[in-house]
C-alpha cells in the first residue's frame, strides 16, 4: 500500500512539473505588449481563472492522508496513532466520508488504549506527589477519546453517539472495578476527578458551547451533570454566560441531588460554591490539609445571580457540612477533618452575609473539629481561606495585603517567607510590578528563586494579554524567565507589532532566533522555539520564514520528544502544602499553522520539507496540515464567491 501510494505520489509530481512547464511555455511565447493590452479588455471566465493545478494538488493531498493513516497503525506511541488517524479522517471527510468513517473507528480503538495508559501514569504520578508534599500539580495530558469524539461528532452526529455509547460502557466497567477496591471507590467519589466517560462528555460539550452550539452541547453534557464535578460546574458557568436560565436550572438540580447523596462532602460544597462566587476558581483540600487550586481564567463572580439560586446553594451546603462527624478512622471523605474545617471557615463569611441563620450551627461544627486543627488554620492565617472571595466593594489588592500583613507579624522565618511568596504570586497574577519587590523580601534563596521565576513569567503573560508588546519585551529581557519563555515573549510581541511596526517585529524575531539557538541542540524546546519564530516571521518575510523553518526541521531531528503538537508555555511554583501552576497553549509552537501557510505558498516545497522530519510525530503533524490546507481550499473559495 505504501509503495503504491508513493508511486502515485511520484506520478503526480511528474504531472505537476509537466503542467508547469507547458504553462510556462504558453505564457512566455506571447509578446509582452499583447499580454498587457489583453488584460484590461478581457473578462476571464470562472473556468479560465481557476487554478489548473488545484485538482492535482487535491488528489495528491488525499494520497498523502491515506498513506499516513495506514502508517499510523504501526506507530508505537498510542496517543500519536489515535491522533493521526482521527485527524486524517477529519481531513479526508469531504473527499471520501465512507473511508473517513473507517478511519474514525480505527482511531477510537487506538484512543481507548492510549487513554487507559495515560490514566495509569497520571494516577502513579499523583500518588507520588501527594505522598511527598501532601498535594499535587499536573499538566493536563492529551485526552485522545475526547479528541476523536470531538472531531467525529462534528462531522457525523450518529458516529458521535456511537462513540458516546462506548464511553458509557467504559463508565460501567470503571464503576464495577471500583467496587472491588476501597481506594478506587474513594477515588471514584472525588469531585475533582470525574470518570473518563464523564470527563470526555464534558470536554466535548465545552468545545461545542465555545462554538455557540448550545443545544448540541447540552445533549452531550446533560448525562454528565448528574454528578458534581469541577469540569461540570465550569461547563455550567460558561453556559450561564450564554443562557442563564438553562444553566441555573441544571445547577439547582445538581444542588438537590448533592444534598441527598451521602457520598458528597466538603470538597463537593467547595466546588458547588464556585458557580456563584468564583466561577473560574476551584479549591479543594486533601485529608492532610494540602490545598489544591485550579484556575481556568480571571472571570469575576456573576452579579445577576437570583436570590433563589443562591439560597438553594446555602441550604444544600449546610445539609452536607453539618452531617454528624464520623470517627477519624472511619472518615471516608475526600477532605478529612482538616479539609472540612477549612471549607467551613472559608465559606462562613458568605453564610453570615447571605444565610446568617445557619452560621451558629456551622460555628458549632468548627468547634467540634478544632482539637484536630493546626493553630494557623484556627487563627485564620491560611492564605487560601480568602482566595477569590474578597467582597466586591473591597479593593483587588486585599489578597496581597492580607499576605503582607501575615508576613509582617510572623516570627517564624519559614512561614514569613511563604507569606511573602503568596503576596508576590497574587500580585503577579494581576500584573502588579510590585510582585518582584515582594520576592526580594524572601530570605530563603531557593524559595526566592522559585517565586521570582513564577512572578516574572506571570508579569510577561499579563503584559501580552494587555497587548503591551513594549512592556512584555522589557520584562522578558530583565526577568528571570526560561529561554523558551523568552522566545515566546519575543515572538508573541512581534505578532502584536506586525502591522504597526513590521521592521521592529522582524528585529524581535531575529533576537528570538538568537535566544532559540542558546537552547541545547538535543532539547526539543530548541525546535519548538524555532517553529514559533518561523510562524511569525513567515507573515512578515516569507523567504526568511522558509529559512527558519528549515532550521527548525533540522533541530527537531537532533532532539527527542519534539512532536509538533500541544505546544504550551508553563510556569510552576510548588512548596510543601500548596502548588500553583500557570499554563497556556501556544499555537505558534505547533507545526499545524506554519505548514498550512507553507502549503498555500508552495505545495510541493512544503511536502518535501515535511518529508525531512525523521520522527513520526512531527512528520505526521506537518503532513496533515499540508493536506488540510489543500482539501479545504476549494470549500473556502466557494464560500468566498458565494458571499455578497
Amino acid at each position: 500500500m505504501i509503495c503504491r501510494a508513493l508511486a502515485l505520489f511520484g506520478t503526480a509530481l511528474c504531472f505537476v512539473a509537466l503542467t508547469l512547464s507547458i504553462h510556462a511555455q504558453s505564457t512566455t511565447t506571447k509578446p509582452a505588449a499583447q499580454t498587457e493590452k489583453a488584460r484590461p479588455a478581457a473578462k476571464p471566465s470562472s473556468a479560465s481563472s481557476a487554478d489548473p493545478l488545484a485538482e492535482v494538488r487535491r488528489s495528491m493531498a488525499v494520497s498523502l492522508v491515506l498513506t499516513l493513516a495506514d502508517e499510523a497503525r504501526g506507530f508505537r506511541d498510542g496517543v500519536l496513532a489515535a491522533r493521526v488517524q482521527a485527524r486524517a479522517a477529519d481531513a479526508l471527510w469531504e473527499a471520501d466520508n465512507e473511508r473517513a468513517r473507517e478511519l474514525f473507528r480505527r482511531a477510537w480503538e487506538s484512543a481507548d488504549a492510549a487513554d487507559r495508559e495515560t490514566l495509569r501514569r497520571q494516577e502513579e504520578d499523583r500518588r507520588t506527589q501527594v505522598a511527598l508534599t501532601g498535594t499535587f500539580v499536573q499538566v493536563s495530558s492529551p485526552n485522545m477519546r475526547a479528541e476523536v469524539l470531538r472531531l467525529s461528532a462534528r462531522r457525523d452526529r450518529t458516529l458521535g453517539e456511537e462513540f458516546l455509547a462506548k464511553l458509557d460502557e467504559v463508565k460501567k466497567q470503571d464503576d464495577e472495578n471500583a467496587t472491588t477496591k476501597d481506594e478506587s471507590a474513594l477515588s471514584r467519589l472525588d469531585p475533582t476527578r470525574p470518570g473518563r466517560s464523564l470527563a470526555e462528555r464534558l470536554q466535548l460539550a465545552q468545545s461545542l458551547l465555545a462554538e455557540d452550539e448550545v443545544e448540541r452541547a447540552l445533549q452531550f453534557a446533560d448525562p454528565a451533570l448528574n454528578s458534581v464535578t469541577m469540569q461540570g460546574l465550569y461547563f455550567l458557568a460558561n453556559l450561564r454566560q450564554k443562557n442563564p436560565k438553562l444553566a441555573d436550572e441544571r445547577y439547582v438540580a445538581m444542588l438537590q441531588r448533592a444534598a441527598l447523596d451521602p457520598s458528597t462532602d466538603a470538597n463537593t460544597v467547595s466546588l458547588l460554591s464556585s458557580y456563584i462566587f468564583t466561577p473560574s476558581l476551584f479549591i479543594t483540600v486533601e485529608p492532610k490539609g494540602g490545598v489544591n487550586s485550579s484556575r481556568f481564567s480571571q472571570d469575576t463572580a456573576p452579579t445577576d445571580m437570583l436570590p433563589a439560586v443562591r439560597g438553594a446553594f446555602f441550604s444544600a451546603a449546610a445539609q452536607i457540612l453539618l452531617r454528624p462527624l464520623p470517627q477519624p478512622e472511619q472518615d471516608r471523605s475526600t477532605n478529612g477533618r482538616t479539609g472540612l474545617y477549612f471549607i467551613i471557615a472559608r465559606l462562613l463569611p458568605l453564610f453570615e452575609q447571605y444565610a446568617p441563620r445557619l452560621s451558629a450551627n456551622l460555628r458549632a461544627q468548627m468547634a467540634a473539629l478544632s482539637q484536630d486543627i493546626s493553630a494557623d488554620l484556627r487563627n485564620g492565617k491560611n492564605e487560601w481561606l480568602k482566595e477569590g472571595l474578597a467582597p466586591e466593594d473591597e479593593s483587588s489588592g486585599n489578597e496581597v495585603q492580607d499576605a503582607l500583613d501575615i508576613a509582617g507579624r510572623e516570627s517564624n522565618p519559614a512561614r514569613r517567607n511563604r507569606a511573602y511568596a503568596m503576596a508576590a504570586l497574587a500580585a503577579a497574577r494581576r500584573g502588579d510590578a510590585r510582585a518582584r519587590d515582594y520576592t526580594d523580601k524572601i530570605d530563603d534563596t531557593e524559595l526566592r528563586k522559585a517565586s521570582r521565576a513564577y512572578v516574572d513569567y506571570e508579569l510577561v503573560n499579563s503584559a501580552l494579554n494587555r497587548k503591551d508588546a513594549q512592556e512584555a519585551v522589557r520584562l522578558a529581557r530583565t526577568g528571570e524567565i526560561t529561554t523558551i519563555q523568552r522566545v515566546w515573549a519575543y515572538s508573541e510581541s512581534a505578532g502584536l507589532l506586525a502591522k504597526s511596526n513590521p521592521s521592529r517585529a522582524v528585529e524581535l524575531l531575529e533576537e528570538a532566533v538568537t535566544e532559540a539557538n542558546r537552547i541545547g541542540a538535543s532539547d526539543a524546546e530548541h525546535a519548538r522555539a524555532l517553529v514559533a519564530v518561523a510562524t511569525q516571521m513567515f507573515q512578515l518575510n516569507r523567504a526568511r520564514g522558509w529559512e527558519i523553518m528549515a532550521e527548525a526541521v533540522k533541530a527537531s531531528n537532533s532532539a527527542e520528544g519534539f512532536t509538533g503538537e500541544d505546544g504550551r508555555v508553563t510556569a510552576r511554583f510548588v512548596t510543601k502544602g500548596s502548588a500553583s501552576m500557570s499554563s497556556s497553549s501556544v499555537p505558534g509552537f505547533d507545526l499545524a499553522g506554519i505548514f498550512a501557510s507553507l502549503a498555500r505558498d508552495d505545495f510541493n516545497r512544503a511536502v518535501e520539507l515535511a518529508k525531512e522530519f525523521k520522527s513520526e510525530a512531527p512528520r505526521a503533524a506537518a503532513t496533515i496540515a499540508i493536506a488540510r490546507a489543500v482539501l479545504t481550499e476549494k470549500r473556502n473559495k466557494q464560500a468566498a464567491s458565494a458571499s455578497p
Side-chain angles (χ1 to χ4, degrees):
M1 174 62 76
I2 293 176
C3 293
R4 180 174 178 272
L6 290 175
L8 289 173
F9 181 70
T11 303
L13 281 178
C14 292
F15 181 76
V16 170
L18 178 61
T19 307
L20 287 172
S21 176
I22 294 173
H23 181 64
Q25 292 174 10
S26 65
T27 55
T28 55
T29 54
K30 293 181 180 180
Q34 180 181 349
T35 304
E36 291 301 321
K37 291 180 181 179
R39 283 176 182 168
K43 185 176 181 180
S45 66
S46 59
S48 62
S49 63
D51 184 352
L53 300 181
E55 288 305 317
V56 175
R57 288 196 297 270
R58 285 175 62 80
S59 296
M60 293 169 61
V62 169
S63 178
L64 285 172
V65 169
L66 291 175
T67 300
L68 179 64
D70 285 339
E71 182 184 353
R73 302 181 77 172
F75 287 173
R76 289 174 296 178
D77 184 338
V79 169
L80 180 62
R83 174 170 286 165
V84 168
Q85 291 176 87
R87 294 185 181 179
D90 184 59
L92 186 64
W93 186 267
E94 292 187 8
D96 187 345
N97 57 36
E98 286 303 317
R99 187 80 65 91
R101 283 189 182 87
E102 294 176 12
L103 288 180
F104 272 130
R105 291 189 174 99
R106 278 170 32 189
W108 180 267
E109 294 175 0
S110 298
D112 183 62
D115 284 352
R116 291 177 188 277
E117 176 61 16
T118 296
L119 186 67
R120 183 189 65 79
R121 292 179 180 177
Q122 283 183 329
E123 184 59 22
E124 285 183 358
D125 177 58
R126 177 180 180 275
R127 290 177 181 174
T128 300
Q129 291 190 51
V130 169
L132 292 174
T133 67
T135 185
F136 72 99
V137 58
Q138 291 180 324
V139 177
S140 58
S141 299
N143 186 327
M144 295 316 303
R145 276 193 300 252
E147 284 195 28
V148 176
L149 179 58
R150 186 168 62 252
L151 290 174
S152 61
R154 283 174 176 155
R155 292 297 191 179
D156 186 337
R157 179 175 173 181
T158 301
L159 192 60
E161 292 294 342
E162 175 185 325
F163 292 152
L164 280 172
K166 292 182 178 181
L167 277 181
D168 290 336
E169 289 299 319
V170 171
K171 181 179 183 300
K172 291 178 183 177
Q173 183 179 353
D174 287 347
D175 289 346
E176 291 173 0
N177 292 339
T179 58
T180 63
K181 299 179 180 179
D182 289 343
E183 186 176 349
S184 296
L186 178 60
S187 174
R188 181 168 54 89
L189 302 176
D190 187 343
T192 66
R193 299 161 61 231
R196 285 174 288 176
S197 64
L198 296 184
E200 287 160 0
R201 272 186 176 275
L202 290 167
Q203 187 172 345
L204 173 59
Q206 191 69 55
S207 66
L208 292 171
L209 188 63
E211 298 176 359
D212 292 325
E213 296 188 34
V214 175
E215 183 178 351
R216 292 190 65 204
L218 287 173
Q219 289 174 350
F220 289 113
D222 275 336
L225 298 177
N226 290 326
S227 303
V228 178
T229 64
M230 179 171 64
Q231 292 84 344
L233 285 159
Y234 185 62
F235 171 81
L236 287 179
N238 282 275
L239 174 63
R240 197 175 195 283
Q241 296 178 12
K242 299 178 183 295
N243 192 318
K245 182 176 183 294
L246 292 178
D248 287 350
E249 288 174 351
R250 285 162 172 79
Y251 175 68
V252 170
M254 184 181 286
L255 288 171
Q256 294 169 346
R257 286 190 295 269
L260 297 174
D261 184 351
S263 69
T264 54
D265 56 21
N267 277 332
T268 310
V269 172
S270 182
L271 294 183
L272 286 166
S273 72
S274 297
Y275 180 81
I276 298 177
F277 300 107
T278 61
S280 296
L281 173 66
F282 299 88
I283 289 180
T284 57
V285 190
E286 297 284 340
K288 293 182 180 180
V291 178
N292 299 316
S293 68
S294 298
R295 189 185 297 272
F296 290 87
S297 67
Q298 297 292 337
D299 293 342
T300 56
T303 58
D304 60 343
M305 187 64 65
L306 296 174
V309 175
R310 190 185 295 116
F313 163 72
F314 285 111
S315 175
Q319 291 182 60
I320 297 171
L321 297 174
L322 294 174
R323 287 171 181 165
L325 295 176
Q327 293 299 316
E329 65 275 8
Q330 296 177 341
D331 192 336
R332 305 293 296 168
S333 67
T334 63
N335 44 257
R337 291 197 163 204
T338 298
L340 175 58
Y341 186 98
F342 175 95
I343 298 302
I344 295 176
R346 174 173 164 79
L347 297 179
L348 187 59
L350 298 174
F351 274 94
E352 292 175 338
Q353 180 178 356
Y354 296 108
R357 61 185 179 80
L358 299 171
S359 299
N361 291 336
L362 289 170
R363 289 186 179 279
Q365 186 80 305
M366 291 173 66
L369 292 163
S370 61
Q371 62 181 359
D372 300 324
I373 306 304
S374 68
D376 282 350
L377 183 53
R378 287 199 311 271
N379 296 329
K381 292 185 177 182
N382 189 303
E383 64 271 12
W384 289 102
L385 287 172
K386 295 184 179 181
E387 179 74 13
L389 291 179
E392 294 177 8
D393 58 348
E394 292 184 13
S395 70
S396 60
N398 272 8
E399 182 184 357
V400 176
Q401 190 58 52
D402 287 345
L404 292 175
D405 289 343
I406 293 173
R409 62 175 179 262
E410 184 58 69
S411 59
N412 181 286
R415 289 196 289 265
R416 182 173 61 249
N417 285 332
R418 177 174 164 75
Y420 278 129
M422 292 301 102
L425 266 61
R429 282 194 290 266
R430 287 191 293 272
D432 187 341
R434 291 175 296 179
R436 219 164 188 273
D437 296 335
Y438 304 146
T439 64
D440 291 337
K441 297 178 181 295
I442 300 173
D443 298 329
D444 186 300
T445 303
E446 290 300 318
L447 182 61
R448 182 172 63 251
K449 182 178 179 180
S451 302
R452 189 168 290 170
Y454 188 94
V455 161
D456 287 344
Y457 162 81
E458 285 284 15
L459 292 176
V460 171
N461 193 35
S462 178
L464 290 174
N465 288 335
R466 298 194 309 270
K467 301 188 184 302
D468 188 344
Q470 182 176 347
E471 179 66 4
V473 171
R474 186 191 71 79
L475 291 166
R477 284 179 174 158
T478 60
E480 297 184 15
I481 60 176
T482 64
T483 303
I484 189 66
Q485 289 171 353
R486 190 166 288 110
V487 172
W488 159 71
Y490 288 167
S491 59
E492 293 295 312
S493 296
L496 294 174
L497 295 171
K499 291 184 178 180
S500 62
N501 194 345
S503 60
R504 175 60 178 146
V506 170
E507 290 175 4
L508 281 176
L509 291 173
E510 292 297 350
E511 288 187 52
V513 171
T514 302
E515 286 293 324
N517 288 332
R518 290 194 174 101
I519 302 174
S522 61
D523 192 331
E525 288 189 347
H526 182 210
R528 193 173 297 117
L530 289 172
V531 170
V533 179
T535 299
Q536 296 289 356
M537 183 67 82
F538 188 80
Q539 309 305 318
L540 297 162
N541 184 329
R542 291 189 176 188
R544 181 63 174 139
W546 278 101
E547 290 176 5
I548 297 173
M549 197 58 229
E551 294 177 24
V553 173
K554 292 178 182 178
S556 77
N557 290 336
S558 300
E560 291 186 13
F562 177 73
T563 65
E565 300 270 31
D566 302 319
R568 305 188 70 82
V569 60
T570 301
R572 300 189 190 196
F573 176 78
V574 180
T575 62
K576 189 171 184 179
S578 69
S580 295
M581 181 178 71
S582 181
S583 180
S584 301
S585 62
V586 182
F589 284 162
D590 296 342
L591 293 175
I594 181 61
F595 268 93
S597 297
L598 297 178
R600 286 188 285 266
D601 188 51
D602 188 331
F603 176 78
N604 293 332
R605 186 178 177 186
V607 170
E608 290 303 315
L609 185 61
K611 287 181 181 179
E612 293 182 17
F613 284 111
K614 294 180 181 179
S615 298
E616 296 168 342
R619 187 170 66 250
T623 301
I624 289 176
I626 293 169
R628 189 183 299 279
V630 172
L631 293 174
T632 59
E633 184 179 39
K634 183 176 181 180
R635 182 178 72 244
N636 292 339
K637 288 183 177 180
Q638 288 174 342
S641 63
S643 300

